[in-house]
Amino acid sequence: MVAAKRVFSVKNFNKATMEDIAREAELSPGTIYLYFKNKEELFASLSLRILHYMNIRLEQVHNENFQEPEEKMKALKQALYEVYEFDPIVLINMFHLQSSETLRNLSPHLLSEIKDLSRSSFRSMSKIFEEGIKKGDFIDRHPVALADIVWALFSGIVLWEESKRLIDSKKDFLKSTLEIAFEIFRRGIKTYPDSINSVQTLNNFVYND
Amino acid sequence: MVAAKRVFSVKNFNKATMEDIAREAELSPGTIYLYFKNKEELFASLSLRILHYMNIRLEQVHNENFQEPEEKMKALKQALYEVYEFDPIVLINMFHLQSSETLRNLSPHLLSEIKDLSRSSFRSMSKIFEEGIKKGDFIDRHPVALADIVWALFSGIVLWEESKRLIDSKKDFLKSTLEIAFEIFRRGIKTYPDSINSVQTLNNFVYND
Amino acid sequence: MVAAKRVFSVKNFNKATMEDIAREAELSPGTIYLYFKNKEELFASLSLRILHYMNIRLEQVHNENFQEPEEKMKALKQALYEVYEFDPIVLINMFHLQSSETLRNLSPHLLSEIKDLSRSSFRSMSKIFEEGIKKGDFIDRHPVALADIVWALFSGIVLWEESKRLIDSKKDFLKSTLEIAFEIFRRGIKTYPDSINSVQTLNNFVYND
Amino acid sequence: MVAAKRVFSVKNFNKATMEDIAREAELSPGTIYLYFKNKEELFASLSLRILHYMNIRLEQVHNENFQEPEEKMKALKQALYEVYEFDPIVLINMFHLQSSETLRNLSPHLLSEIKDLSRSSFRSMSKIFEEGIKKGDFIDRHPVALADIVWALFSGIVLWEESKRLIDSKKDFLKSTLEIAFEIFRRGIKTYPDSINSVQTLNNFVYND
DNA sequence: AATGAATGAGGATTCATTCAT
DNA sequence: TATGAATGAATCCTCATTCAT
């Protein structure tokens, strides 16, 4: 898996060959098939580790008792960033996998494990928002939609910054962009004293759409 | 190109074969190579159209004189959504392309055209934010970072909703999720009276990174 | 197909590789796949020609009006021998194919064509026996069973003589063995005047089994 | 060997893997190679058992003193049927083996054992016919040719009925087809009073070939 | 301008066999 | 005796690309 990761970090799923991986692992191609049914499964297995990690981290965030929802949001951002740091390469590949039909070829067992972990992670995120809304700290939007948005923001930034690095290979703006994005997001879902609530009601039509 | 688009809408870039496209176009494979140097170029040419469209739309938003920056943000959201509607399939494939190394195989001419259009689009977006900041309506963050975030948010949501549709093929939440996301973003970058500005200064360190 | 036949005559279906065939045909492997979906189809296509030929020959035998059923049986033997001569290699491979599960991988179209031709051939044979029985020239056994037996006898002799040739590569006994076998078969199904009919009634129990 | 047989009953020689067999035997693949030089030898070893059995049964038939050659022929048919019943799977696979080049890879020792058993069996059969001819009960054809024909008839019917079962998996017609086939064969080689012997002399040329 | 047959490198996967333990 | 992880050659098949017509 370490070898596969190294190979996938250089070539994408389609360009990386089993022989590349075998060579990197100093094994023969056949050996890989003792442990992974096929290329897809090998790839998906990599994602599993990071999904597990993400799941745990998001549950922690959800369960920890912070004074302020503000703090909880910062913890969420921090958790996601740590997920990225845990294994950037695999995460990026996972984002690619996510919107491709590679998923269909997976063994049912592996697929369901992936789905379960994803669902569980999303549940944790949704609950964070649910609480904040209940407490009146967050604007009243569907918690699942908010989780979707956080996830989209996170994956979008990771992919976009990665793609910029591919072209320019300049400095890494991921961390700082993520900070600003979450700052804006935090500010955006926070409720404010009456005086400025006009804004909120104005936009509420979206939710009832 | 119409045929290619139709094929890419069913299969992804790697699964779609030149023969598929030729068949769909009622041409022979050889003929395609009279007009496109290779598969990558054909694909990239598709992106060009949507990039052009996006460029125009974002310039419009930038140039139009709205009363309020609030309205400008809504116009930006609307423009991006129209870019999606203009050609969802190509857009999605373009997002995939964006963070892969397919870009490397392009002819210099095509690549530079793509880069120019992207840069121009980002400039338009950045300027929108720059203005807002100057006027004091938006919080003071690097305009390019804000453009990056909008772009990441947009692509993240499109990809994520697409991926959910791949699994469930249920209703389409793209429009509504995008609305909420931009609502939050608008709220998040807006400046407020003094009383709640403490938050802003706290996070300002990011920007000076 | 000529090249494939040559290769299949030396190696069996499993040992013969597509590259062998391509080399023999002075083509590249890919080219073969322009004309045959896969190895199985290529193989089965070879059989088709001989099945067609057999079908025609057996129909001829069935339709020709001989004075004596005796002569019809000789014509049947001759027809089968000509089927062998038409393409010995393919016939032998077809016998192998027949009792393997290779059949399952064939395209429905090809499979049904094979089945139709086989059925049609068997129908012709059965009818020959049916007539002979009706006329009282042949003993009263189920015509299909008689067709099965002729077919089994034919294929059994071809395979067995081939296998002897593989080991000893001596003279070819096929023709002469086939002659004797059919002579015995003819004598065996012929009815005789009353005096020796005791034999028949004795064995009749089989048929009513 | 029991495990191998079970596996070969489901998959054919080529599809069955050594690992399949090892798993079925609750052994590791390596262990099989302690007892069999290779896959071919393992397979051939299975045949040995049935060849031994056949050899014994045919000798019995040959040695038993029946009143009538008619009865001897019935005993021969019964013996062959019992060979089939002794181990249908191995017998069928053996028929497949017989006309393939698998034989070439066998160790000289095993090959000669197989050849000896086969020859011995054929000798027994030939002698049965020789006697019948000497006594004037059977028509005067080369005894070895007659043995060949019986063997071809037997193997042909077994393979053909097996192949029909593969397609339809309906009822088993082997027993009854075999009965009719041998009935016809018996009638076919029997000599009759002068009046109908004309046929015989006509075909005698074959034998002097 | 178009064809489409031919290419052939390349890649995933299999499996009989080995050998250090 | 037995193991079973490792092997790696071998094989089927794909498909972007070419080029003579």
Side-chain angles (χ1 to χ4, degrees):
Chain A
M1 288 177 70
V2 171
K5 220 157 64 182
R6 271 202 288 265
V7 172
F8 283 134
S9 76
V10 181
K11 312 182 173 191
N12 69 33
F13 179 77
N14 288 288
K15 300 265 175 179
T17 74
M18 291 305 263
E19 191 155 332
D20 287 339
I21 296 165
R23 204 181 309 113
E24 181 72 34
E26 292 177 74
L27 286 172
S28 86
T31 309
I32 299 178
Y33 286 87
L34 294 177
Y35 303 96
F36 303 96
K37 223 185 64 198
N38 53 41
K39 199 180 165 188
E40 254 99 16
E41 296 250 321
L42 166 55
F43 192 98
S45 297
L46 290 176
S47 303
L48 231 46
R49 249 182 87 240
I50 205 170
L51 282 173
H52 261 118
Y53 179 75
M54 178 168 74
N55 201 33
I56 289 166
R57 285 297 282 110
L58 292 181
E59 250 171 43
Q60 281 174 359
V61 173
H62 168 232
N63 289 326
E64 249 172 306
N65 284 321
F66 293 100
Q67 313 293 83
E68 298 292 321
E70 179 88 1
E71 287 173 74
K72 211 153 200 168
M73 290 313 297
K74 284 187 190 168
L76 174 60
K77 179 217 69 192
Q78 186 56 27
L80 289 177
Y81 185 68
E82 278 164 25
V83 167
Y84 169 80
E85 277 188 318
F86 180 76
D87 209 331
I89 293 155
V90 169
L91 186 72
I92 288 163
N93 277 309
M94 204 181 80
F95 288 146
H96 281 298
L97 182 81
Q98 156 182 114
S99 41
S100 89
E101 64 228 290
T102 312
L103 290 166
R104 295 197 216 278
N105 286 50
L106 296 180
S107 72
H109 173 258
L110 197 55
L111 187 60
S112 79
E113 203 172 352
I114 288 177
K115 280 192 174 180
D116 287 351
L117 285 168
S118 306
R119 262 197 282 267
S120 171
S121 295
F122 263 79
R123 217 175 301 127
S124 296
M125 281 202 285
S126 301
K127 278 189 188 153
I128 294 170
F129 294 115
E130 217 179 320
E131 275 177 35
I133 295 165
K134 248 185 215 155
K135 285 190 187 167
D137 293 319
F138 294 160
I139 59 174
D140 186 8
R141 297 294 173 279
H142 200 304
V144 173
L146 297 179
D148 278 344
I149 289 165
V150 164
W151 183 248
L153 193 58
F154 176 54
S155 64
I157 290 173
V158 167
L159 285 175
W160 178 237
E161 294 296 330
E162 167 70 13
S163 122
K164 287 201 295 183
R165 197 166 35 225
L166 268 178
I167 294 171
D168 287 343
S169 78
K170 261 197 231 147
K171 247 206 298 186
D172 192 352
F173 286 110
L174 181 79
K175 176 83 177 157
S176 62
T177 308
L178 215 53
E179 291 286 357
I180 302 175
F182 269 85
E183 181 207 349
I184 293 170
F185 183 80
R186 272 197 314 274
R187 289 173 50 100
I189 60 163
K190 200 160 60 167
T191 50
Y192 294 99
D194 285 359
S195 57
I196 42 170
N197 259 4
S198 54
V199 181
Q200 185 191 341
T201 40
L202 191 77
N203 288 300
N204 221 1
F205 80 97
V206 177
Y207 183 67
N208 303 318
D209 212 8
Chain B
M1 286 177 67
V2 172
K5 219 160 64 182
R6 271 204 288 266
V7 172
F8 284 136
S9 76
V10 180
K11 311 180 175 191
N12 68 36
F13 179 75
N14 287 290
K15 301 267 172 173
T17 73
M18 291 302 264
E19 184 143 348
D20 288 338
I21 295 164
R23 203 182 307 114
E24 182 72 32
E26 293 179 70
L27 285 172
S28 87
T31 308
I32 298 178
Y33 284 86
L34 295 177
Y35 301 96
F36 303 97
K37 218 186 69 194
N38 55 38
K39 200 182 169 188
E40 258 95 16
E41 294 250 322
L42 165 55
F43 189 88
S45 298
L46 289 176
S47 303
L48 232 46
R49 248 182 90 241
I50 205 170
L51 283 173
H52 262 116
Y53 179 76
M54 180 166 74
N55 201 32
I56 290 165
R57 286 296 283 109
L58 292 181
E59 251 172 42
Q60 282 175 358
V61 173
H62 169 231
N63 289 326
E64 250 172 306
N65 284 322
F66 293 101
Q67 317 292 83
E68 298 290 321
E70 179 88 2
E71 285 172 77
K72 210 152 202 167
M73 291 311 298
K74 283 186 188 168
L76 175 58
K77 178 216 71 192
Q78 187 57 26
L80 289 176
Y81 186 68
E82 276 163 27
V83 167
Y84 168 82
E85 277 187 319
F86 180 75
D87 208 331
I89 293 151
V90 170
L91 185 71
I92 288 163
N93 278 308
M94 204 180 78
F95 288 147
H96 282 300
L97 181 82
Q98 139 184 128
S99 40
S100 86
E101 79 249 75
T102 312
L103 293 165
R104 293 196 219 278
N105 287 48
L106 296 181
S107 71
H109 172 257
L110 197 55
L111 187 60
S112 78
E113 201 172 352
I114 287 178
K115 279 193 175 179
D116 287 351
L117 284 168
S118 305
R119 261 196 283 267
S120 171
S121 294
F122 264 79
R123 216 173 303 127
S124 297
M125 281 203 284
S126 301
K127 279 189 187 152
I128 295 170
F129 293 116
E130 218 179 316
E131 277 177 33
I133 295 166
K134 249 185 214 157
K135 285 191 187 166
D137 293 319
F138 294 161
I139 58 174
D140 186 8
R141 298 294 173 279
H142 199 305
V144 173
L146 297 180
D148 279 344
I149 289 165
V150 164
W151 182 249
L153 192 58
F154 176 52
S155 65
I157 288 173
V158 167
L159 285 175
W160 178 237
E161 293 296 328
E162 167 69 10
S163 122
K164 287 201 294 183
R165 199 167 34 226
L166 269 178
I167 295 171
D168 285 343
S169 78
K170 259 196 233 149
K171 248 201 302 186
D172 194 352
F173 287 112
L174 181 79
K175 176 85 177 153
S176 63
T177 308
L178 215 53
E179 292 286 357
I180 302 176
F182 270 84
E183 180 207 352
I184 292 169
F185 183 81
R186 273 196 313 274
R187 289 173 50 98
I189 60 164
K190 201 161 58 168
T191 48
Y192 294 100
D194 288 357
S195 58
I196 42 170
N197 262 2
S198 52
V199 181
Q200 186 190 340
T201 40
L202 192 76
N203 289 297
N204 223 1
F205 78 98
V206 177
Y207 176 58
N208 304 317
D209 208 9
Chain C
M1 287 178 71
V2 172
K5 219 156 64 181
R6 272 203 287 266
V7 172
F8 283 135
S9 76
V10 181
K11 311 182 173 191
N12 67 35
F13 179 77
N14 288 289
K15 299 268 173 176
T17 73
M18 291 304 264
E19 190 155 334
D20 287 338
I21 295 165
R23 204 182 306 114
E24 181 72 33
E26 295 179 71
L27 285 172
S28 85
T31 308
I32 300 178
Y33 286 87
L34 293 177
Y35 303 96
F36 303 96
K37 222 185 64 196
N38 53 40
K39 200 180 165 188
E40 255 99 16
E41 295 251 323
L42 166 55
F43 192 99
S45 297
L46 289 176
S47 303
L48 230 47
R49 247 182 89 241
I50 206 170
L51 282 173
H52 261 116
Y53 179 76
M54 178 167 75
N55 200 32
I56 290 165
R57 287 295 284 111
L58 292 181
E59 250 171 43
Q60 281 175 359
V61 173
H62 168 233
N63 289 326
E64 249 171 306
N65 284 321
F66 295 101
Q67 314 293 85
E68 298 293 321
E70 180 87 3
E71 287 173 74
K72 211 153 201 169
M73 291 311 298
K74 283 185 190 169
L76 175 58
K77 178 217 70 192
Q78 188 56 27
L80 289 177
Y81 185 68
E82 277 163 26
V83 167
Y84 168 81
E85 277 187 317
F86 180 76
D87 208 331
I89 292 156
V90 169
L91 186 70
I92 287 162
N93 277 309
M94 203 181 80
F95 288 146
H96 282 297
L97 182 81
Q98 158 181 111
S99 39
S100 87
E101 64 227 289
T102 312
L103 290 165
R104 295 196 217 279
N105 287 50
L106 295 181
S107 71
H109 173 258
L110 197 54
L111 186 60
S112 79
E113 202 172 354
I114 287 178
K115 279 192 175 180
D116 287 350
L117 285 168
S118 305
R119 261 197 284 267
S120 171
S121 295
F122 264 79
R123 217 175 300 128
S124 296
M125 282 203 283
S126 301
K127 278 189 187 153
I128 294 170
F129 293 116
E130 216 179 320
E131 276 177 33
I133 295 165
K134 249 184 212 155
K135 285 190 186 168
D137 294 318
F138 295 160
I139 59 174
D140 186 8
R141 299 294 173 277
H142 200 303
V144 173
L146 297 179
D148 279 345
I149 289 165
V150 164
W151 183 250
L153 193 57
F154 177 53
S155 64
I157 289 173
V158 168
L159 285 174
W160 178 235
E161 294 296 329
E162 167 71 11
S163 121
K164 287 201 294 182
R165 199 166 35 227
L166 268 178
I167 294 170
D168 287 342
S169 78
K170 260 198 233 146
K171 247 204 301 188
D172 193 352
F173 286 111
L174 181 79
K175 175 84 177 156
S176 61
T177 308
L178 216 53
E179 291 286 356
I180 303 176
F182 269 85
E183 181 207 350
I184 293 170
F185 184 80
R186 273 197 312 273
R187 290 173 48 99
I189 60 163
K190 199 159 61 167
T191 48
Y192 295 99
D194 287 357
S195 58
I196 43 169
N197 260 2
S198 52
V199 180
Q200 186 192 338
T201 40
L202 192 76
N203 289 299
N204 221 0
F205 79 98
V206 177
Y207 182 68
N208 304 317
D209 212 9
Chain D
M1 288 177 68
V2 171
K5 218 158 65 182
R6 272 203 287 264
V7 172
F8 284 134
S9 75
V10 180
K11 311 180 174 190
N12 69 35
F13 178 76
N14 287 290
K15 300 267 173 173
T17 73
M18 291 302 264
E19 184 143 347
D20 287 338
I21 296 164
R23 202 181 309 113
E24 181 72 34
E26 293 178 70
L27 285 172
S28 88
T31 309
I32 298 179
Y33 284 86
L34 295 177
Y35 301 97
F36 302 96
K37 217 185 69 196
N38 54 40
K39 199 182 170 188
E40 258 95 15
E41 293 249 322
L42 165 56
F43 189 87
S45 298
L46 289 176
S47 303
L48 232 46
R49 248 182 90 239
I50 205 169
L51 283 173
H52 261 119
Y53 179 76
M54 178 166 75
N55 201 33
I56 289 166
R57 285 296 283 111
L58 292 181
E59 251 171 42
Q60 282 175 358
V61 173
H62 169 232
N63 289 326
E64 250 172 306
N65 284 321
F66 294 101
Q67 316 292 84
E68 298 291 324
E70 178 87 4
E71 287 173 74
K72 210 150 201 168
M73 291 310 298
K74 285 186 188 168
L76 175 58
K77 178 217 71 194
Q78 187 56 27
L80 289 176
Y81 186 69
E82 277 163 24
V83 167
Y84 169 81
E85 277 188 318
F86 180 76
D87 207 331
I89 292 151
V90 170
L91 186 72
I92 288 163
N93 278 309
M94 204 180 78
F95 288 147
H96 282 299
L97 181 81
Q98 134 186 131
S99 39
S100 87
E101 79 249 74
T102 313
L103 292 165
R104 292 197 222 277
N105 287 48
L106 296 181
S107 71
H109 172 258
L110 196 55
L111 186 60
S112 79
E113 202 173 353
I114 287 178
K115 280 192 174 179
D116 287 350
L117 284 167
S118 305
R119 262 198 282 268
S120 171
S121 294
F122 264 79
R123 217 175 301 127
S124 297
M125 282 203 283
S126 301
K127 278 190 187 154
I128 294 169
F129 293 115
E130 217 178 318
E131 276 177 33
I133 294 165
K134 248 186 214 155
K135 284 190 186 168
D137 293 320
F138 293 160
I139 59 173
D140 187 7
R141 298 294 175 279
H142 199 304
V144 172
L146 298 179
D148 279 345
I149 289 165
V150 164
W151 182 248
L153 193 58
F154 177 53
S155 64
I157 289 173
V158 167
L159 285 175
W160 179 236
E161 294 296 328
E162 167 70 10
S163 121
K164 287 201 293 183
R165 198 167 34 225
L166 269 177
I167 294 168
D168 286 345
S169 79
K170 259 197 233 147
K171 244 203 305 186
D172 193 353
F173 287 110
L174 181 79
K175 176 86 177 155
S176 62
T177 308
L178 215 54
E179 291 287 356
I180 302 176
F182 269 85
E183 181 208 350
I184 292 169
F185 184 80
R186 272 195 315 270
R187 288 173 49 98
I189 61 164
K190 200 161 59 169
T191 49
Y192 295 101
D194 286 357
S195 58
I196 43 168
N197 263 2
S198 53
V199 181
Q200 185 190 337
T201 40
L202 192 75
N203 289 298
N204 222 0
F205 79 97
V206 177
Y207 176 56
N208 302 318
D209 209 12

